[in-house]
Each structure stands twice: as C-alpha cells, then as structure tokens.
Amino acid sequence: MNRFEQYVQRDHDMLFIPFIVAGDPNEEATVDLALTMQASGARALELGIPYSDPLADGPVIQRASKRALAGGMTLRRAMRLVETMRQKGLNIPVVIFTYANPLLQLGLDTFFHEAAANGIDGLLVPDIPYEESHSLAQRCAQENICLISLVAPTTSDERLAKICASAQGFIYCVSSLGVTGVRKKFHPDIFPFLERVRRASSLPIAVGFGISSREQIVELKGVADGFIVGSAIVSEIEKRADPLKIAASRAATLDEIKQALLKKFGTQAETAVPTHHA
Amino acid sequence: MIRQPQLEVKFRTDETGRYGDFGGRYVPETMMHALLELEQGFKEAITDPAFLNDYHKILHDYSGRPTPVTYCRRLSEAVGGAQIYLKREDLNHTGAHKINNAVGQALLAKRMGKKKLIAETGAGQHGVATATIAAYFGMPCKIFMGAVDVERQALNVFRMKLLGAEVVPVSSGNGTLKDAVNEVLRYWAAHIEDTAYIDGSAVGPHPYPMIVRDFQRIIGDEAREQILQQTGKLPDAAVACVGGGSNSIGLFTAFLDDPVQLYGAEAGGKGTDSGQHAATLTKGSVGIVHGMKTYLLQDASGQITEPYSISAGLDYPGIGPEHAYLFKTGRAIYQAITDDEALDALVRLSKLEGILPALESAHGLALAMKIAAKMKSAQSVLVCLSGRGDKDVRTVLHALKKDNSEGSDAQ
C-alpha cells in the first residue's frame, strides 16, 4: 500500500494538505515545519520548490521563493530534505510542487532516482497542463509517483474527462481564477464546478488557491474531500522567519504556528465537528 | 494603396503549438481555457477577409503603411560590399513595428467581445503601441511594467499615461521585463472573461508566437515585393534584431522558402563572455519560461537569470520558439552584437543616411554591415529597421560621453 492509499482517502473527513516552500526560511526549519504540519493533522504535504518566475503564485509565495532561493535551495536539495523528514518520523505522502524548468534542468532520470531514494510520493507541476503532460505521466506511472493534476472552474467537461481519466492521488481543484493567495470568499461557481469534478473522478478531490478560513472549509464539507492551504501558512512562517531560523527558538515558534493554524482552520478532528465552534 | 488581404496563412505549428521541439503551452490550467478560446478566435479571424481588411485599413490609414524600403547609397559605399536596403518600420505611427501587432491583437480582442486590454512592456514601446490602439478603439488599458523600468523609462511612462493607459509598476522578482510578463499573465488568469492580453513579442504560450508572427509578417511581405520592384531580384540576405523576436520573425516569414540567407542579431551586451548580455541563442540553453520551451538564460538549477543589453527592447532572457527552431535547424543564423557595435552602427547610419535608428534596430544594422562587407557589390542585404532612435537619444548621449572620457583616460 502506498502512502496515498493510506492517508489520502475519500472517507477520511476533510483532508488537510498544507504547502510549504523548501528552504523558507532555512533547511532545518523546513524539516521541522513538515513534522509540525503532520502533528497538526496534515494528510499529505506539498513541498514547494522555489522558482525565479512562479507564474501561478501570488505575492506571499513569491516572497517565500525569493527567501529560499537566497539560501541556495534547489530541487535536488529539497528532495534530499524529505529523507531527513522521513528519518524524523514523517509518514504522510510528500508531493514535490515544482515549476517545469527546474525539473527539466535536473533531468527526469535524476528526479525519479532522487524521488525513490528519498521517500517522495507525488509530483505536481503547475505549468505542465494536460496537453504537455503525456510523457511525464507515463514516466510517473512507471516509477510509482502520483502525478497530481490541476483542474479549474474554466476547465471544460471534455478536458475534465481527459484529465480525470489519467489523474492519480487526488484531484487538485483550483477554487478561483488567478494565482495562489488568500481570498475571503469562494466564487459561487465553485459548487457546480466541484460537482462536475465529482462526477468525472472517483479520486479524492481537494480544493486549493485562496483557502484562508474555517468558514471556507465548512462550506466545502460534503462537496470536497480536502483542502490545500499554501499562502495562509507561508505568511505565518514569514512573520516568524527569524525565530524559525534559530534552533533555540524554533520549537516554541513551531508551536505558535501550530496554534495559529488550529485557530484559523481547526485540524481535521475539529473540522469534523465544526458546530462545537459555532 | 490597401494591400489585398492574404487568405493563405501558413500554420506551421501543430495543435500543441510546436515548432519542432520548441514552443508549446506551459501554463497553469487556469489559463488553458483562455488560450484555447484565443486560438479558436484567431483562426477564425485570420481567415476572414473582413477582419483582414479592417487590419490592413487601420495600418494604412492610421499607421501610414506600407512603410518604404530605402536604399542606403552612402552607407553601402562606406561598408564596401553588398548594397544595403532598409525596411523602414521606424516610419510607422508610434515609431516602431510594435503597432502592427497591437492593431491586429486589439482588433481580435474586439471581435472576441473583450472589453479591456492589458500588456507588458520593457522599454515602453509595446506599452505605448498598446495604449495607442486602446485610445483609438476607446478601450480601457493597463500596462504592466517592471518597477525598475518605470524608473528608467519615465518619459514613456508619461507617454502611456497621456494616452489614457494605467501603468502598473511590478516589483515582484527583479522588477524588470521578465517579471512584468509574469505579472501580466497572472493578472490575465484572474480576468480572462472581459480582458484581452496583448502579447508584445513572438514569445509566450501557444498561440501567441503564431499570432504575433502573423500580425508582423506584413513587414516581410511588403519588403519582399518592394525590393523585387526596386532591384528586380530577391535580396541575398535578410537581417533583423532579435529580443523576443517579433520584427525578425515578421521579416523572415516572407523569405523562408526563398534562397535568402536569414540573420538574427541578438544582444551581446558587454560581450558574450562578460556575463552581461542577452545572447540567448549564443550562450543560453533549452528550458521553459513564460509558457514556452525555448533557449533561455538560466543557472544550473533552472532559475532564470537577468539579461543585460544597452537596448531595453532586447533585454529579455528567452527568445521566440520559432527562432529557436530556425536556429536549431540552421535555417537562420544568429550572432551576438555588442553594445559598442550597435552604438557604432547607430552613429554611422545617422551621419551617412540621416536616419537615427533605435538601439534595438542598430544591432540588426551592425550585423548587416559585417555581413555586407564580406559580400560582392552586386549582392544586396535587406535590414529591418524596426524602430526610430528618438527614444534612445539620452542613452546614446550618456554612452558616447562615457566612451570619450574612457578614450582620453587611456591616452
């Protein structure tokens, strides 16, 4: 049984899938943040690879990428951090979230070698849409890596059917047009969109882009199986970049972040019974 | 004279927008719908005689097309080889070839029911062209420009505002052209319903490189006819500068099936070994940026590096995918021209012909002069003079002053 089958299931209540940027604010903090996410109820982790030209990302993740690049983070180094996370007790599946160019430059052979060696379970390349994905998807299938697909409210039924036919792990539903970043409310179109995705796939469906509050997660219950939180977590990290860098203050800071996330989203245990907090 | 609309448009790309291995559509799923819609809209428009008639009529009545081909007698004599002819895109309204494409894409936007225009700009030329056509059509317009470029190009910023456009400074990344491209694509992804993105060069995800080429091929189509009329034969070589590569692909397209050697001049900056250049084909490697697979300037781990050129219009880390293909197949030859070589060409054309070229175009001219010098006097070289140099006077003044003072130091 692979880690996706174990942790990312439709019958689990509202899967929490956090996104952090590798190397933000430094390597040690990234490893500990991953473990903090697991302790906060994460059922999978998206590990973002910093990139100079992140087309799908808003200002918060752009800034995190810049910080991580300044520290010399690369795709290969990020992949090796996962092995350290595993040694320290990370059990949930890890998805590498990278733009196409760093992947192309590392080379697919090296990528899959490192993925197998470091306990990596999935890959998400936001700028490789379905049309460009065929050879990568084939290779991922051979190497037992889940290639996660994005779908958007503007994705036609015809494309949705094609994308879902080859999708693996979970379906990443982009909540709204534009880039990653915090938004207060969902566009009302999201609900018919999620129903379309549900009809097109039997995989768990998770909603990302703009998730920033418990209210949004409550709204998604019943129509989606999980939610992805990026910018809202990365901005908590940004606020505490300095104490996170230092070993002495890290543990207390991680606890603060855990509390902040708990307050913002509740962990999976709490979102299961949101009425307690109403 | 209104040119006959061209009904035979070659689509040299397949469904995924490939030129050999280059091009494609490397964008987030959020943009795919808009790109597919645009591709469909463009294919319908470009084969519709009424649309083409509007396009040619605006270029004729508003931009002054056709632009002439000018024979450079004194320059040719001074170079001492082949005869040099200039395709005078500098004589367009707004002073450069950028207007050809802005007119075409804005017309397409109107046809597709879009209400607003957005564009990126580096030096400001494409921003000015887009703001101009937005004013002409009465459409609201936002121009995304790197914060550093906003500082450097204050006059063009004012010019765009005067034309009624809103200039949005982009401070993400390094605050330059590549970041303005990212930001305009991000904005577009969030506003695709009512907004058209007017891509300024033959770059970006499919179908943009194809659209820009087809709206710029008027340069080569006209020039081919004109030079045949003037000399009775095709030129032996056709030369243009290449940043993203819109004026060059516009020139080359007309000659692809002819026995005409094609040359592209890329920005060699302070020398291709200086680390300060935009010589994408000479020094770059294959990668993915701004939605396309092409040659680009990058580090070993795939981060895009910042290019440099004295000419802001060539200061781009990638190159259009069709150029990457023409380079790989050897159909066109690309050479780097340094800042100094471009400056020298600018000065010579000004003094010998009374034409002040843009610094971008001066790169093409410098390469043409090098090539012409090795050719026979019975041969001819056609150069695309993509823009006029008024915008560069301050930069040129500064650069020449520096050269002079460095020269006297050495003595």
Side-chain angles (χ1 to χ4, degrees):
Chain A
M1 183 186 261
N2 71 29
R3 293 189 192 94
F4 273 104
E5 285 160 4
Q6 199 178 341
Y7 286 93
V8 184
Q9 287 299 329
R10 277 184 60 174
D11 55 12
H12 188 280
D13 193 76
M14 288 312 270
L15 304 157
F16 168 45
I17 305 176
F19 168 99
I20 57 174
V21 174
D24 173 35
N26 66 17
E27 293 192 2
E28 295 77 14
T30 297
V31 170
D32 290 346
L33 278 162
L35 291 157
T36 300
M37 294 303 141
Q38 178 172 270
S40 305
R43 302 293 289 186
L45 176 73
E46 280 188 17
L47 187 61
I49 308 305
Y51 181 49
S52 55
D53 294 77
L55 207 51
D57 286 305
V60 172
I61 294 173
Q62 287 173 33
R63 288 199 300 271
S65 294
K66 234 179 159 171
R67 287 193 294 272
L69 285 175
M73 184 49 60
T74 64
L75 174 53
R76 189 196 292 254
R77 283 175 69 177
M79 293 177 82
R80 292 186 175 168
L81 287 183
V82 179
E83 173 59 19
T84 315
M85 294 171 190
R86 295 282 179 225
Q87 283 165 10
K88 291 181 100 171
L90 190 78
N91 298 316
I92 57 175
V94 174
V95 176
I96 295 289
F97 181 110
T98 179
Y99 284 87
N101 200 45
L103 180 63
L104 190 69
Q105 302 314 319
L106 181 65
L108 289 188
D109 289 343
T110 311
F111 175 83
F112 286 109
H113 173 78
E114 294 285 341
N118 295 295
I120 285 156
D121 307 278
L123 172 65
L124 197 169
V125 191
D127 55 346
I128 297 194
Y130 174 76
E131 283 75 0
E132 307 288 352
S133 71
H134 306 308
S135 59
L136 183 63
Q138 229 171 21
R139 189 71 196 272
C140 281
Q142 283 167 15
E143 309 275 354
N144 210 15
I145 292 288
C146 285
L147 184 64
I148 308 296
S149 304
L150 290 179
V151 295
T154 47
T155 305
S156 68
D157 281 336
E158 196 192 344
R159 277 176 65 75
L160 191 60
K162 282 195 267 184
I163 293 169
C164 288
S166 59
Q168 291 193 302
F170 62 92
I171 309 278
Y172 189 134
C173 301
V174 177
S175 71
S176 48
L177 297 176
V179 294
T180 57
V182 169
R183 292 171 183 78
K184 284 223 165 60
K185 286 177 83 174
F186 285 127
H187 193 282
D189 286 356
I190 191 177
F191 299 104
F193 161 56
L194 293 175
E195 281 166 26
R196 286 201 293 133
V197 180
R198 182 68 90 199
R199 283 196 296 273
S201 176
S202 57
L203 288 173
I205 66 180
V207 179
F209 280 41
I211 308 275
S212 58
S213 72
R214 185 192 302 272
E215 289 70 30
Q216 287 171 312
I217 296 156
V218 171
E219 272 193 274
L220 291 176
K221 275 176 69 70
V223 286
D225 306 302
F227 57 100
I228 299 136
V229 185
S231 298
I233 292 175
V234 174
S235 62
E236 294 295 334
I237 294 169
E238 183 172 46
K239 279 185 225 163
R240 301 173 178 86
D242 287 333
L244 276 173
K245 279 185 202 163
I246 302 158
S249 52
R250 191 174 302 132
T253 313
L254 290 166
D255 201 52
E256 263 178 54
I257 290 174
K258 191 175 164 186
Q259 296 309 320
L261 295 184
L262 206 72
K263 210 171 140 194
K264 251 185 192 172
F265 304 109
T267 57
Q268 90 274 14
E270 288 178 296
T271 46
V273 278
T275 44
H276 292 187
H277 299 273
Chain B
M1 176 197 80
I2 294 178
R3 287 171 51 80
Q4 286 302 305
Q6 280 165 337
L7 294 176
E8 278 183 61
V9 175
K10 289 182 192 169
F11 293 104
R12 268 189 310 274
T13 59
D14 62 16
E15 284 299 301
T16 57
R18 294 272 167 186
Y19 305 84
D21 188 38
F22 303 104
R25 244 182 314 224
Y26 294 90
V27 294
E29 179 62 22
T30 44
M31 271 177 218
M32 282 303 297
H33 174 72
L35 291 174
L36 293 169
E37 180 189 78
L38 178 65
E39 183 182 0
Q40 186 59 33
F42 175 71
K43 282 185 172 172
E44 284 165 18
I46 203 73
T47 49
D48 176 357
F51 176 85
L52 288 170
N53 202 58
D54 287 348
Y55 166 71
H56 287 288
K57 186 166 165 48
I58 294 172
L59 287 180
H60 177 268
D61 297 351
Y62 185 63
S63 191
R65 294 204 80 90
T67 57
V69 164
T70 302
Y71 169 52
C72 296
R73 185 180 58 81
R74 297 188 66 213
L75 181 71
S76 303
E77 278 171 17
V79 170
Q83 307 308 308
I84 297 171
Y85 291 80
L86 305 179
K87 174 61 174 168
R88 299 292 304 281
E89 292 302 299
D90 59 320
L91 295 178
N92 271 300
H93 178 45
T94 71
H97 73 290
K98 292 288 184 191
I99 193 81
N100 303 332
N101 168 58
V103 165
Q105 287 196 47
L107 259 179
L108 180 62
K110 266 173 71 89
R111 184 189 160 99
M112 292 177 65
K114 305 292 178 188
K115 306 281 181 241
K116 300 171 187 168
L117 304 181
I118 54 170
E120 82 293 337
T121 198
Q125 294 311 110
H126 174 56
V128 167
T130 305
T132 297
I133 200 66
Y136 179 85
F137 283 134
M139 295 169 93
C141 174
K142 276 191 212 299
I143 304 294
F144 292 77
M145 191 169 184
V148 173
D149 290 332
V150 169
E151 288 286 311
R152 286 195 291 211
Q153 307 286 338
L155 274 178
N156 266 343
V157 171
F158 179 65
R159 204 170 154 199
M160 287 183 270
K161 288 180 179 167
L162 209 53
L163 290 161
E166 180 191 341
V167 178
V168 183
V170 175
S171 50
S172 64
N174 299 322
T176 59
L177 175 59
K178 81 177 178 71
D179 306 299
V181 174
N182 291 327
E183 205 56 40
V184 76
L185 288 172
R186 289 180 188 123
Y187 181 91
W188 189 44
H191 299 86
I192 51 173
E193 278 158 34
D194 64 349
T195 301
Y197 164 46
I198 311 289
D199 188 344
S201 195
V203 298
H206 178 63
Y208 277 110
M210 173 177 83
I211 291 177
V212 176
R213 176 197 67 205
D214 287 345
F215 286 140
Q216 290 293 3
R217 63 171 293 166
I218 192 166
I219 300 172
D221 288 341
E222 280 179 7
R224 190 176 183 281
E225 227 171 83
Q226 289 164 318
I227 200 156
L228 276 170
Q229 225 161 39
Q230 288 184 28
T231 69
K233 58 186 178 68
L234 288 170
D236 295 279
V239 190
C241 64
V242 189
S246 69
N247 89 87
S248 42
I249 206 69
L251 180 73
F252 291 177
T253 297
F255 298 103
L256 282 176
D257 301 325
D258 293 327
V260 174
Q261 185 56 58
L262 306 173
Y263 290 94
E266 48 180 16
K270 296 181 177 167
T272 48
D273 293 325
S274 68
Q276 286 187 284
H277 59 77
T280 314
L281 293 175
T282 309
K283 299 298 276 191
S285 54
V286 176
I288 292 167
V289 74
H290 296 150
M292 61 182 165
K293 185 185 259 191
T294 188
Y295 287 86
L296 52 99
L297 301 176
Q298 58 184 327
D299 69 16
S301 64
Q303 308 297 338
I304 312 305
T305 54
E306 199 62 41
Y308 162 82
S309 167
I310 190 171
S311 130
L314 302 182
D315 201 350
Y316 182 71
I319 188 166
E322 194 165 359
H323 285 293
Y325 179 63
L326 295 175
F327 168 74
K328 185 83 183 283
T329 56
R331 177 63 188 91
I333 294 170
Y334 296 83
Q335 285 180 28
I337 293 294
T338 63
D339 288 356
D340 288 345
E341 289 171 320
L343 276 168
D344 176 58
L346 177 143
V347 170
R348 290 180 81 181
L349 189 69
S350 301
K351 290 202 169 141
L352 293 170
E353 300 289 345
I355 298 170
L356 170 61
L359 274 169
E360 291 80 6
S361 321
H363 283 72
L365 185 68
L367 179 57
M369 284 157 57
K370 277 190 186 179
I371 295 159
K374 293 180 199 149
M375 291 165 68
K376 299 189 187 86
S377 66
Q379 293 182 297
S380 63
V381 175
L382 173 67
V383 189
C384 183
L385 202 78
S386 54
R388 66 176 183 230
D390 307 49
K391 69 179 176 64
D392 295 320
V393 168
R394 220 173 58 165
T395 310
V396 172
L397 178 72
H398 183 73
L400 293 179
K401 253 190 197 162
K402 213 170 116 196
D403 275 6
N404 286 338
S405 60
E406 275 171 13
S408 53
D409 285 352
Q411 289 161 10

